[in-house]
Amino acid sequence: MQKRRLKSLFTKIRRKMHYWDWMIAGPYIILCCLGIVMVYSASAGIQMQNGLSPRSYLVRQLIYVLMGLVVFTLFSSLKLEKLRSPVFLRWFFIILAGLLLIVRIHGAAINGAHGWLHLGFFNIQPAEVCKFFLILYLSDRFAGISEKGLSYKDTKAWQPTILLGALLFLIIIQPDIGGFTINTAIAVVILLASGMSLAISLTVLGLGVCTLAFGVPAMAHIFVGHIHNYQAARFVAFIDPFQHARGIGSQLVNSYYAISNGGFHGVGLGNSIQKMGYLPEPNTDFIMSIIAEELGLIGVTVILLLLAIIIMHAIRLGVKTHSMYEALICYGVGTFISVETLFNVGGVLGLLPITGVTFPFVSYGGSSMLVLCASIGLVENISIRRKRQRAQQKLSY
C-alpha cells in the first residue's frame, strides 16, 4: 500500500516537473552550484591549515543542496490547500514557539546569540523556520481577513498580530537582530499588500515602530540584561571600522581588502588571500567578500542578477495571480530573499551593521538553505498552477 502511494506521489511530481518555471528553478539551481564551489574555495585552505579535511564543508554543503532540492520539489508539488489547514498551522506555531523557547534556554551560543539547536551534524535555527511559517500563516490569515472585509473592531483581525508579536519577542531575546528584522519585514509587506483597511495598517505599523523604539530595548534589558557585547561590538565596528582594525573592526576592514583585491575581474578562483585566516567565517556571512576577491565585480554582478530574476519573477507572479493568498505568498517570499540579500551585502560593504545574515543559496548552512528552498518551492507551485490552468483553458476551447 505504501509503495503504491509513493509511486503515485512520484508520478504526480514528474507530471508537475513538466510545468516547472525555469525562471525560478534555473537561477536557483545555478546559485546552489555556485555556492557549492565557493564554499569549498572559501573553506578548504583554512581547514588544511588547521589540520582538518579540506572537503568537510564541501561535502556538508553538497548534502544541504541535495536536501534543499528535494524540499523544493516537494513544496512545488504539494496542494496549497493542505498548507492552509488550521490544524497544520496551529501545530506548526506550537512546535516553532517551543523550539524558540528551547533554543533560548538550552541552545548553543554562536557569535553571542542562542539561536541554534545541534542535531548531529545538522544545526536547526528556529528563527529561519519562522520566516517560512510567517509567509504561510500571515498569507492565509490576512487573505481571509481581507476577503471577509473585517474591520479593526473584529478580534479576528488582531489575532495574527498577537501571534506575530509573540514570535518576534522570542527571536529578539536570543538576541537575533538580523532574524528579527527580516521576519518583521516579511510581516509588514504581507500586511500592506493584503489590502487591509488604512486604520488597521496604520495602527499595526504604529505599534511596530513603538515596539522597535521602546519595547524591544526594554524587553531585551529585562530578559537578556543588555544587548550582548558581540552585537554591540558589531555596531561600533560599523561606525568606524578602521579605528578598530585590529579588534572588532577587523571583519569589515578585511572585507574591504578582499573587495579591493578583486577589482573588476578578480584574482581567480581559489586565489583569495583574505580567506586564509584574515577574514572570519569566509564561507558563511562573508562569502560575498571572497567571491568579490576571486571572481571580481563580474562574478558578484552575475550572482546578484540571478537572485534579481527570482525576486522579480516572484513579484510578477504575485501581481498576475487572481488569488490573494497566492499573491501574498509571492510577496512574502520576494521580501524574504530581498531583505536577506540586502542585509548580507550591506554588511559586507559596510553600509549596514553586520548582523550574521547569510547570502541566499550561496552561503554555507543547512537551516537557511532548506527554508529558502521551501519558500521558493511555494512560488514555483503557484507558477505551475497558473500554467496548468492556462493549459486546461486552451484544451476546453
mmCIF file with all atom_site columns, all heavy atoms in Angstrom, residues 175-195:
data_model
loop_
_atom_site.group_PDB
_atom_site.id
_atom_site.type_symbol
_atom_site.label_atom_id
_atom_site.label_alt_id
_atom_site.label_comp_id
_atom_site.label_asym_id
_atom_site.label_entity_id
_atom_site.label_seq_id
_atom_site.pdbx_PDB_ins_code
_atom_site.Cartn_x
_atom_site.Cartn_y
_atom_site.Cartn_z
_atom_site.occupancy
_atom_site.B_iso_or_equiv
_atom_site.pdbx_formal_charge
_atom_site.auth_seq_id
_atom_site.auth_comp_id
_atom_site.auth_asym_id
_atom_site.auth_atom_id
_atom_site.pdbx_PDB_model_num
ATOM 1   N N   . PRO A 1 175 ? 19.882 37.097 21.564 1.00 0.00 ? 175 PRO A N   1
ATOM 2   C CA  . PRO A 1 175 ? 19.204 38.040 20.679 1.00 0.00 ? 175 PRO A CA  1
ATOM 3   C C   . PRO A 1 175 ? 19.644 37.833 19.224 1.00 0.00 ? 175 PRO A C   1
ATOM 4   O O   . PRO A 1 175 ? 20.805 37.617 18.956 1.00 0.00 ? 175 PRO A O   1
ATOM 5   C CB  . PRO A 1 175 ? 19.722 39.391 21.185 1.00 0.00 ? 175 PRO A CB  1
ATOM 6   C CG  . PRO A 1 175 ? 21.086 39.084 21.722 1.00 0.00 ? 175 PRO A CG  1
ATOM 7   C CD  . PRO A 1 175 ? 21.093 37.655 22.181 1.00 0.00 ? 175 PRO A CD  1
ATOM 8   N N   . ASP A 1 176 ? 18.689 37.908 18.292 1.00 0.00 ? 176 ASP A N   1
ATOM 9   C CA  . ASP A 1 176 ? 18.958 37.746 16.863 1.00 0.00 ? 176 ASP A CA  1
ATOM 10  C C   . ASP A 1 176 ? 18.358 38.952 16.138 1.00 0.00 ? 176 ASP A C   1
ATOM 11  O O   . ASP A 1 176 ? 17.190 38.943 15.749 1.00 0.00 ? 176 ASP A O   1
ATOM 12  C CB  . ASP A 1 176 ? 18.344 36.440 16.366 1.00 0.00 ? 176 ASP A CB  1
ATOM 13  C CG  . ASP A 1 176 ? 18.653 36.158 14.909 1.00 0.00 ? 176 ASP A CG  1
ATOM 14  O OD1 . ASP A 1 176 ? 19.270 37.032 14.249 1.00 0.00 ? 176 ASP A OD1 1
ATOM 15  O OD2 . ASP A 1 176 ? 18.274 35.089 14.408 1.00 0.00 ? 176 ASP A OD2 1
ATOM 16  N N   . ILE A 1 177 ? 19.153 39.988 15.983 1.00 0.00 ? 177 ILE A N   1
ATOM 17  C CA  . ILE A 1 177 ? 18.668 41.234 15.391 1.00 0.00 ? 177 ILE A CA  1
ATOM 18  C C   . ILE A 1 177 ? 18.363 41.052 13.909 1.00 0.00 ? 177 ILE A C   1
ATOM 19  O O   . ILE A 1 177 ? 17.361 41.544 13.395 1.00 0.00 ? 177 ILE A O   1
ATOM 20  C CB  . ILE A 1 177 ? 19.694 42.363 15.594 1.00 0.00 ? 177 ILE A CB  1
ATOM 21  C CG1 . ILE A 1 177 ? 19.884 42.634 17.090 1.00 0.00 ? 177 ILE A CG1 1
ATOM 22  C CG2 . ILE A 1 177 ? 19.247 43.648 14.886 1.00 0.00 ? 177 ILE A CG2 1
ATOM 23  C CD1 . ILE A 1 177 ? 21.018 43.577 17.416 1.00 0.00 ? 177 ILE A CD1 1
ATOM 24  N N   . GLY A 1 178 ? 19.232 40.318 13.197 1.00 0.00 ? 178 GLY A N   1
ATOM 25  C CA  . GLY A 1 178 ? 19.004 40.084 11.773 1.00 0.00 ? 178 GLY A CA  1
ATOM 26  C C   . GLY A 1 178 ? 17.734 39.295 11.522 1.00 0.00 ? 178 GLY A C   1
ATOM 27  O O   . GLY A 1 178 ? 16.915 39.666 10.675 1.00 0.00 ? 178 GLY A O   1
ATOM 28  N N   . GLY A 1 179 ? 17.557 38.189 12.262 1.00 0.00 ? 179 GLY A N   1
ATOM 29  C CA  . GLY A 1 179 ? 16.341 37.378 12.122 1.00 0.00 ? 179 GLY A CA  1
ATOM 30  C C   . GLY A 1 179 ? 15.097 38.153 12.485 1.00 0.00 ? 179 GLY A C   1
ATOM 31  O O   . GLY A 1 179 ? 14.059 38.041 11.819 1.00 0.00 ? 179 GLY A O   1
ATOM 32  N N   . PHE A 1 180 ? 15.187 38.959 13.538 1.00 0.00 ? 180 PHE A N   1
ATOM 33  C CA  . PHE A 1 180 ? 14.051 39.788 13.960 1.00 0.00 ? 180 PHE A CA  1
ATOM 34  C C   . PHE A 1 180 ? 13.649 40.761 12.854 1.00 0.00 ? 180 PHE A C   1
ATOM 35  O O   . PHE A 1 180 ? 12.455 40.897 12.530 1.00 0.00 ? 180 PHE A O   1
ATOM 36  C CB  . PHE A 1 180 ? 14.413 40.563 15.233 1.00 0.00 ? 180 PHE A CB  1
ATOM 37  C CG  . PHE A 1 180 ? 13.369 41.550 15.676 1.00 0.00 ? 180 PHE A CG  1
ATOM 38  C CD1 . PHE A 1 180 ? 12.293 41.146 16.454 1.00 0.00 ? 180 PHE A CD1 1
ATOM 39  C CD2 . PHE A 1 180 ? 13.454 42.887 15.310 1.00 0.00 ? 180 PHE A CD2 1
ATOM 40  C CE1 . PHE A 1 180 ? 11.327 42.055 16.860 1.00 0.00 ? 180 PHE A CE1 1
ATOM 41  C CE2 . PHE A 1 180 ? 12.492 43.805 15.709 1.00 0.00 ? 180 PHE A CE2 1
ATOM 42  C CZ  . PHE A 1 180 ? 11.425 43.384 16.485 1.00 0.00 ? 180 PHE A CZ  1
ATOM 43  N N   . THR A 1 181 ? 14.626 41.423 12.250 1.00 0.00 ? 181 THR A N   1
ATOM 44  C CA  . THR A 1 181 ? 14.341 42.434 11.228 1.00 0.00 ? 181 THR A CA  1
ATOM 45  C C   . THR A 1 181 ? 13.748 41.814 9.972  1.00 0.00 ? 181 THR A C   1
ATOM 46  O O   . THR A 1 181 ? 12.800 42.346 9.396  1.00 0.00 ? 181 THR A O   1
ATOM 47  C CB  . THR A 1 181 ? 15.621 43.214 10.883 1.00 0.00 ? 181 THR A CB  1
ATOM 48  O OG1 . THR A 1 181 ? 16.214 43.709 12.081 1.00 0.00 ? 181 THR A OG1 1
ATOM 49  C CG2 . THR A 1 181 ? 15.316 44.383 9.954  1.00 0.00 ? 181 THR A CG2 1
ATOM 50  N N   . ILE A 1 182 ? 14.295 40.674 9.538  1.00 0.00 ? 182 ILE A N   1
ATOM 51  C CA  . ILE A 1 182 ? 13.791 40.028 8.319  1.00 0.00 ? 182 ILE A CA  1
ATOM 52  C C   . ILE A 1 182 ? 12.371 39.521 8.532  1.00 0.00 ? 182 ILE A C   1
ATOM 53  O O   . ILE A 1 182 ? 11.501 39.699 7.677  1.00 0.00 ? 182 ILE A O   1
ATOM 54  C CB  . ILE A 1 182 ? 14.727 38.886 7.878  1.00 0.00 ? 182 ILE A CB  1
ATOM 55  C CG1 . ILE A 1 182 ? 16.088 39.442 7.470  1.00 0.00 ? 182 ILE A CG1 1
ATOM 56  C CG2 . ILE A 1 182 ? 14.114 38.117 6.707  1.00 0.00 ? 182 ILE A CG2 1
ATOM 57  C CD1 . ILE A 1 182 ? 17.145 38.392 7.226  1.00 0.00 ? 182 ILE A CD1 1
ATOM 58  N N   . ASN A 1 183 ? 12.117 38.899 9.673  1.00 0.00 ? 183 ASN A N   1
ATOM 59  C CA  . ASN A 1 183 ? 10.760 38.424 9.970  1.00 0.00 ? 183 ASN A CA  1
ATOM 60  C C   . ASN A 1 183 ? 9.777  39.586 10.043 1.00 0.00 ? 183 ASN A C   1
ATOM 61  O O   . ASN A 1 183 ? 8.639  39.477 9.571  1.00 0.00 ? 183 ASN A O   1
ATOM 62  C CB  . ASN A 1 183 ? 10.760 37.634 11.288 1.00 0.00 ? 183 ASN A CB  1
ATOM 63  C CG  . ASN A 1 183 ? 11.200 36.197 11.110 1.00 0.00 ? 183 ASN A CG  1
ATOM 64  O OD1 . ASN A 1 183 ? 10.467 35.366 10.574 1.00 0.00 ? 183 ASN A OD1 1
ATOM 65  N ND2 . ASN A 1 183 ? 12.406 35.894 11.552 1.00 0.00 ? 183 ASN A ND2 1
ATOM 66  N N   . THR A 1 184 ? 10.204 40.698 10.630 1.00 0.00 ? 184 THR A N   1
ATOM 67  C CA  . THR A 1 184 ? 9.343  41.883 10.708 1.00 0.00 ? 184 THR A CA  1
ATOM 68  C C   . THR A 1 184 ? 9.037  42.428 9.322  1.00 0.00 ? 184 THR A C   1
ATOM 69  O O   . THR A 1 184 ? 7.893  42.791 9.021  1.00 0.00 ? 184 THR A O   1
ATOM 70  C CB  . THR A 1 184 ? 10.011 42.978 11.566 1.00 0.00 ? 184 THR A CB  1
ATOM 71  O OG1 . THR A 1 184 ? 10.279 42.466 12.869 1.00 0.00 ? 184 THR A OG1 1
ATOM 72  C CG2 . THR A 1 184 ? 9.110  44.199 11.688 1.00 0.00 ? 184 THR A CG2 1
ATOM 73  N N   . ALA A 1 185 ? 10.055 42.481 8.457  1.00 0.00 ? 185 ALA A N   1
ATOM 74  C CA  . ALA A 1 185 ? 9.871  42.988 7.092  1.00 0.00 ? 185 ALA A CA  1
ATOM 75  C C   . ALA A 1 185 ? 8.872  42.129 6.321  1.00 0.00 ? 185 ALA A C   1
ATOM 76  O O   . ALA A 1 185 ? 8.008  42.649 5.599  1.00 0.00 ? 185 ALA A O   1
ATOM 77  C CB  . ALA A 1 185 ? 11.211 43.026 6.361  1.00 0.00 ? 185 ALA A CB  1
ATOM 78  N N   . ILE A 1 186 ? 8.975  40.810 6.461  1.00 0.00 ? 186 ILE A N   1
ATOM 79  C CA  . ILE A 1 186 ? 8.035  39.897 5.795  1.00 0.00 ? 186 ILE A CA  1
ATOM 80  C C   . ILE A 1 186 ? 6.610  40.197 6.246  1.00 0.00 ? 186 ILE A C   1
ATOM 81  O O   . ILE A 1 186 ? 5.686  40.296 5.429  1.00 0.00 ? 186 ILE A O   1
ATOM 82  C CB  . ILE A 1 186 ? 8.395  38.428 6.103  1.00 0.00 ? 186 ILE A CB  1
ATOM 83  C CG1 . ILE A 1 186 ? 9.707  38.041 5.403  1.00 0.00 ? 186 ILE A CG1 1
ATOM 84  C CG2 . ILE A 1 186 ? 7.273  37.482 5.658  1.00 0.00 ? 186 ILE A CG2 1
ATOM 85  C CD1 . ILE A 1 186 ? 10.277 36.704 5.857  1.00 0.00 ? 186 ILE A CD1 1
ATOM 86  N N   . ALA A 1 187 ? 6.430  40.349 7.562  1.00 0.00 ? 187 ALA A N   1
ATOM 87  C CA  . ALA A 1 187 ? 5.092  40.600 8.120  1.00 0.00 ? 187 ALA A CA  1
ATOM 88  C C   . ALA A 1 187 ? 4.523  41.925 7.632  1.00 0.00 ? 187 ALA A C   1
ATOM 89  O O   . ALA A 1 187 ? 3.349  42.012 7.260  1.00 0.00 ? 187 ALA A O   1
ATOM 90  C CB  . ALA A 1 187 ? 5.155  40.588 9.645  1.00 0.00 ? 187 ALA A CB  1
ATOM 91  N N   . VAL A 1 188 ? 5.342  42.969 7.613  1.00 0.00 ? 188 VAL A N   1
ATOM 92  C CA  . VAL A 1 188 ? 4.877  44.304 7.204  1.00 0.00 ? 188 VAL A CA  1
ATOM 93  C C   . VAL A 1 188 ? 4.451  44.306 5.741  1.00 0.00 ? 188 VAL A C   1
ATOM 94  O O   . VAL A 1 188 ? 3.397  44.854 5.378  1.00 0.00 ? 188 VAL A O   1
ATOM 95  C CB  . VAL A 1 188 ? 5.968  45.357 7.458  1.00 0.00 ? 188 VAL A CB  1
ATOM 96  C CG1 . VAL A 1 188 ? 5.610  46.684 6.798  1.00 0.00 ? 188 VAL A CG1 1
ATOM 97  C CG2 . VAL A 1 188 ? 6.166  45.565 8.961  1.00 0.00 ? 188 VAL A CG2 1
ATOM 98  N N   . VAL A 1 189 ? 5.262  43.693 4.868  1.00 0.00 ? 189 VAL A N   1
ATOM 99  C CA  . VAL A 1 189 ? 4.935  43.676 3.433  1.00 0.00 ? 189 VAL A CA  1
ATOM 100 C C   . VAL A 1 189 ? 3.652  42.895 3.181  1.00 0.00 ? 189 VAL A C   1
ATOM 101 O O   . VAL A 1 189 ? 2.790  43.326 2.400  1.00 0.00 ? 189 VAL A O   1
ATOM 102 C CB  . VAL A 1 189 ? 6.112  43.081 2.623  1.00 0.00 ? 189 VAL A CB  1
ATOM 103 C CG1 . VAL A 1 189 ? 5.685  42.804 1.185  1.00 0.00 ? 189 VAL A CG1 1
ATOM 104 C CG2 . VAL A 1 189 ? 7.293  44.031 2.641  1.00 0.00 ? 189 VAL A CG2 1
ATOM 105 N N   . ILE A 1 190 ? 3.498  41.744 3.832  1.00 0.00 ? 190 ILE A N   1
ATOM 106 C CA  . ILE A 1 190 ? 2.272  40.949 3.653  1.00 0.00 ? 190 ILE A CA  1
ATOM 107 C C   . ILE A 1 190 ? 1.058  41.733 4.142  1.00 0.00 ? 190 ILE A C   1
ATOM 108 O O   . ILE A 1 190 ? -0.001 41.735 3.506  1.00 0.00 ? 190 ILE A O   1
ATOM 109 C CB  . ILE A 1 190 ? 2.387  39.593 4.378  1.00 0.00 ? 190 ILE A CB  1
ATOM 110 C CG1 . ILE A 1 190 ? 3.407  38.702 3.656  1.00 0.00 ? 190 ILE A CG1 1
ATOM 111 C CG2 . ILE A 1 190 ? 1.031  38.885 4.441  1.00 0.00 ? 190 ILE A CG2 1
ATOM 112 C CD1 . ILE A 1 190 ? 3.666  37.375 4.331  1.00 0.00 ? 190 ILE A CD1 1
ATOM 113 N N   . LEU A 1 191 ? 1.197  42.426 5.266  1.00 0.00 ? 191 LEU A N   1
ATOM 114 C CA  . LEU A 1 191 ? 0.101  43.238 5.796  1.00 0.00 ? 191 LEU A CA  1
ATOM 115 C C   . LEU A 1 191 ? -0.300 44.332 4.810  1.00 0.00 ? 191 LEU A C   1
ATOM 116 O O   . LEU A 1 191 ? -1.484 44.483 4.479  1.00 0.00 ? 191 LEU A O   1
ATOM 117 C CB  . LEU A 1 191 ? 0.510  43.868 7.127  1.00 0.00 ? 191 LEU A CB  1
ATOM 118 C CG  . LEU A 1 191 ? -0.418 44.955 7.671  1.00 0.00 ? 191 LEU A CG  1
ATOM 119 C CD1 . LEU A 1 191 ? -1.755 44.366 8.078  1.00 0.00 ? 191 LEU A CD1 1
ATOM 120 C CD2 . LEU A 1 191 ? 0.219  45.683 8.837  1.00 0.00 ? 191 LEU A CD2 1
ATOM 121 N N   . LEU A 1 192 ? 0.680  45.082 4.317  1.00 0.00 ? 192 LEU A N   1
ATOM 122 C CA  . LEU A 1 192 ? 0.382  46.196 3.416  1.00 0.00 ? 192 LEU A CA  1
ATOM 123 C C   . LEU A 1 192 ? -0.165 45.710 2.075  1.00 0.00 ? 192 LEU A C   1
ATOM 124 O O   . LEU A 1 192 ? -0.998 46.373 1.463  1.00 0.00 ? 192 LEU A O   1
ATOM 125 C CB  . LEU A 1 192 ? 1.646  47.037 3.195  1.00 0.00 ? 192 LEU A CB  1
ATOM 126 C CG  . LEU A 1 192 ? 2.198  47.757 4.431  1.00 0.00 ? 192 LEU A CG  1
ATOM 127 C CD1 . LEU A 1 192 ? 3.478  48.496 4.086  1.00 0.00 ? 192 LEU A CD1 1
ATOM 128 C CD2 . LEU A 1 192 ? 1.172  48.722 5.014  1.00 0.00 ? 192 LEU A CD2 1
ATOM 129 N N   . ALA A 1 193 ? 0.324  44.541 1.619  1.00 0.00 ? 193 ALA A N   1
ATOM 130 C CA  . ALA A 1 193 ? -0.115 44.018 0.318  1.00 0.00 ? 193 ALA A CA  1
ATOM 131 C C   . ALA A 1 193 ? -1.486 43.357 0.390  1.00 0.00 ? 193 ALA A C   1
ATOM 132 O O   . ALA A 1 193 ? -2.107 43.108 -0.645 1.00 0.00 ? 193 ALA A O   1
ATOM 133 C CB  . ALA A 1 193 ? 0.902  43.006 -0.213 1.00 0.00 ? 193 ALA A CB  1
ATOM 134 N N   . SER A 1 194 ? -1.958 43.080 1.594  1.00 0.00 ? 194 SER A N   1
ATOM 135 C CA  . SER A 1 194 ? -3.220 42.358 1.742  1.00 0.00 ? 194 SER A CA  1
ATOM 136 C C   . SER A 1 194 ? -4.438 43.227 1.478  1.00 0.00 ? 194 SER A C   1
ATOM 137 O O   . SER A 1 194 ? -5.557 42.717 1.412  1.00 0.00 ? 194 SER A O   1
ATOM 138 C CB  . SER A 1 194 ? -3.323 41.761 3.150  1.00 0.00 ? 194 SER A CB  1
ATOM 139 O OG  . SER A 1 194 ? -3.417 42.794 4.121  1.00 0.00 ? 194 SER A OG  1
ATOM 140 N N   . GLY A 1 195 ? -4.236 44.546 1.344  1.00 0.00 ? 195 GLY A N   1
ATOM 141 C CA  . GLY A 1 195 ? -5.375 45.436 1.098  1.00 0.00 ? 195 GLY A CA  1
ATOM 142 C C   . GLY A 1 195 ? -6.188 45.696 2.342  1.00 0.00 ? 195 GLY A C   1
ATOM 143 O O   . GLY A 1 195 ? -7.369 46.043 2.252  1.00 0.00 ? 195 GLY A O   1
#
